[in-house]
Amino acid sequence: MLEESKLLEKLPLKQHLHNIKRVLKLLMSLDQSYIPWNVVAVLLSTALSYGGMILSAYVLNRIAGGFAFAELFQKVILGVVLLSLGGSVLGILNRRIDVKSQMMAESYLALQQEKIMNMDFSMIDSPRLKELRERIRLENNWGAGIFTVFWCGKGVLEAVVRIIGAIVIGIPMFSYFGKEDLGWLWGVLFLLCLFLGIGLKLYRYFQNMEHYVMFHVPTAEEKKFLWNYVWDFAYGSWHYRYGNGKDVRIYNSYEVMKKWTYDKLQGKEFFDYTIKRPGIGSAGSYGIQTALYVLSQIGAYGIVIMAALKGSMPVGSLILYADCLANMMIQATYVVTAGLDLSLAARKQVGILELLELSDEMYKGALPMEKRSDNEYHIAFRNVSFKYPGSEEYALKSFSLEFKVGERLAIVGRNGSGKTTMIKLLCRLYDPDEGEILVNGVDIKKFRHDEYAKLFSVVFQDYVLFSLMLAENIAADKDYDEEMVRRCLADAGFEERLEKLGEKGIESFLYKDYTDEGVEISGGEAQKLAIARAIYKEAPFVLLDEPTAALDPLAEAEIYSNFDKIAGDKTAIYISHRLSSCRFCDKIAVFDKGRLVQTGSHEELLADEGGVYASLWNAQAKYYEAG
């Protein structure tokens, strides 16, 4: 786990610029027109802002110096119309930019999800990725994520353009500074800029105080008074799920939940940590911002008025130049503050960038998988050993086993004996640390992974059904064969339930995430759907990794027996810690503490009275005597 958030580390300016460049480069790859559209919008926004100021100054100057009403009225109307039209165009541009921002944010999220789905499965469970994901969670726990980059980036761009605009419009003002006895105004302007610089330094100090609480990784002692470390238990992270409250209600644990949630909010430690300290930081940073704005306005008007007193300056021009000078200073401070926010927003995305740049570690084979119409595939484990990432203990040690097409293989043993690990290695979700796995004499690492995966249909113990249409769940694809979907559902024993779904049938949605008309299914029905999905794939090897562990032994044995009939001439591998479920298999492999300790038929293994299988059978016999 992270000892501290990287956001609290000080970085040189070069690194900040590098982070911003990396993020902007990625965003440009999502939509190359985004930045050009923003530039156009900023130029138009600046033109409208200064256009309004110039029009106001023009009117005041004409009124003060005498004017023809009709001429002035026409020009004012023309100016208002042009500004209104520009405002309408700007509104359309900003709406387009907002939509683009939303689409880019969704694409940005999709990139992350796609990376997780496509990376080596072994990396997902690695300490390296766990640390990176925790870092990403911490760094994006505050603020608006990638939208902050959008807003701050546009803010910096707009401030720079407005400074340039103010300089261009306000150039005549500086001619007054060259008049006799007005050279000291440059000194006043320098002092004003100096005060603004000091103010920005203070702003940064208070902002860091606020950020410390946001991004500091709480210590074990601090977690005791931070309520959110327990609240998730009752409500299910940020999304309330009705199922999470069952234990709270059954055991009437409201008081203990209240102790660790609501009562924490009332504690002095919570107040000091989450309100007092960041409150001082927020008050200081916002107070400094306000002070800088007021100081810029007063200073600008003061300087321009002093210059005007020494020469002839129309009142409209005085206001225009004062606003320009104030804009220069205000926007200069905003470039710094928004730039700081942009650099922080970019730093918060660095973890995601590192995730997207992770390289797979497993060897990617290029050998095409032999497509055999007879499904004659022979698989052999040769002295295979494996440790899970970050673990010092072997999950599987010196494991050797062979099986071929049409066999019924049962893998049995106590929980944690290495049964599921063997299946993960067989499906090449992980690679062995030692030894090799062969298909028809060829190391599976040499095959193209996507083609090799087509050999297997697996129903894992922790299988997943998606909140999509029933047919899409079975086919695991947006395109499906309706007749085949129905046949697989019938083979899996779901036919009666399917008839109750009415006209929608296989187009019914599972669960209610997408529609209130979604279908809620029982645990047993979910298992049937998972089995139907395995049948639909028509892979030569089908594997059941204890998907029925929640059922009683007799019910599990019945499901396995029925599935054995469905499997036909395919190779079927059944994993269970219950021995009665797999008595019909040709061969039984017994695992114990990560090792293969016995192989044989049920009768052969039972005859070895001192073996692990006989010991397990005798311990479980009372549960399945009826079988």
Side-chain angles (χ1 to χ4, degrees), residues 124-410:
I124 295 175
D125 198 35
S126 67
R128 178 187 177 192
L129 188 65
K130 287 181 179 178
E131 179 177 319
L132 182 56
R133 293 178 72 172
E134 176 66 5
R135 172 184 161 192
I136 291 171
R137 186 189 70 80
L138 288 171
E139 292 180 349
N140 289 273
N141 201 32
W142 297 82
I146 195 65
F147 285 103
T148 306
V149 176
F150 297 151
W151 301 331
C152 293
K154 186 176 181 180
V156 171
L157 175 63
E158 191 162 20
V160 170
V161 172
R162 285 176 180 259
I163 290 172
I164 295 172
I167 292 173
V168 171
I169 296 171
I171 284 176
M173 170 190 64
F174 293 106
S175 64
Y176 288 85
F177 284 43
K179 292 182 178 294
E180 188 178 354
D181 299 330
L182 286 180
W184 54 273
L185 287 178
W186 291 106
V188 174
L189 184 60
F190 173 78
L191 288 176
L192 186 58
C193 292
L194 182 62
F195 281 122
L196 292 177
I198 294 172
L200 288 172
K201 191 74 173 178
L202 289 172
Y203 170 84
R204 183 61 170 164
Y205 169 79
F206 285 112
Q207 190 184 52
N208 285 340
M209 184 184 296
E210 186 177 9
H211 287 167
Y212 177 81
V213 176
M214 290 181 180
F215 306 119
H216 163 65
V217 179
T219 64
E221 192 63 30
E222 289 167 342
K223 287 180 180 179
K224 293 179 181 178
F225 57 80
L226 293 177
W227 62 277
N228 54 308
Y229 281 88
V230 179
W231 196 261
D232 284 357
F233 169 75
Y235 287 100
S237 190
W238 296 105
H239 305 287
Y240 175 74
R241 297 185 179 93
Y242 65 89
N244 292 62
K246 290 184 294 187
D247 290 289
V248 175
R249 289 162 175 78
I250 292 298
Y251 294 101
N252 194 29
S253 55
Y254 294 100
E255 289 302 318
V256 70
M257 292 302 300
K258 179 174 175 290
K259 167 191 171 184
W260 288 98
T261 54
Y262 178 78
D263 290 351
K264 294 291 181 183
L265 298 175
Q266 316 306 313
K268 180 180 182 301
E269 295 91 344
F270 177 85
F271 177 85
D272 289 344
Y273 183 86
T274 62
I275 298 177
K276 183 178 179 180
R277 177 167 179 162
I280 293 173
S282 297
S285 58
Y286 283 113
I288 292 296
Q289 276 187 310
T290 303
L292 292 178
Y293 177 82
V294 173
L295 182 62
S296 299
Q297 290 281 1
I298 294 174
Y301 270 88
I303 290 173
V304 173
I305 289 173
M306 284 186 282
L309 291 176
K310 291 290 185 176
S312 176
M313 183 184 294
V315 63
S317 299
L318 186 150
I319 295 174
L320 175 63
Y321 296 150
D323 283 343
C324 285
L325 184 57
N327 251 327
M328 275 189 262
M329 290 185 285
I330 291 170
Q331 297 302 326
T333 60
Y334 190 74
V335 166
V336 176
T337 57
L340 291 173
D341 291 338
L342 176 60
S343 66
L344 176 62
R347 286 185 73 178
K348 290 169 69 174
Q349 304 308 308
V350 168
I352 295 174
L353 294 178
E354 291 181 11
L355 169 68
L356 296 176
E357 293 169 358
L358 282 178
S359 299
D360 286 338
E361 298 173 349
M362 294 177 68
Y363 175 75
K364 303 299 182 184
L367 191 66
M369 194 73 225
E370 182 183 11
K371 297 178 176 63
R372 300 185 62 104
S373 58
D374 57 5
N375 282 339
E376 283 289 340
Y377 296 102
H378 179 274
I379 292 181
F381 283 76
R382 298 283 173 81
N383 202 32
V384 168
S385 296
F386 175 73
K387 296 177 183 176
Y388 282 100
S391 175
E392 295 299 322
E393 298 182 4
Y394 280 99
L396 209 60
K397 181 65 175 175
S398 302
F399 172 65
S400 296
L401 184 68
E402 297 186 12
F403 47 92
K404 57 185 179 181
V405 67
E407 269 192 330
R408 298 294 190 265
L409 172 66

Side-chain angles (χ1 to χ4, degrees), residues 3 23 49 53 117 161 203 224 240 309 370 452 505 573 597:
E3 295 182 0
V23 174
S49 176
M53 292 167 55
M117 286 192 294
V161 172
Y203 170 84
K224 293 179 181 178
Y240 175 74
L309 291 176
E370 182 183 11
Y452 176 75
I573 302 175
V597 294

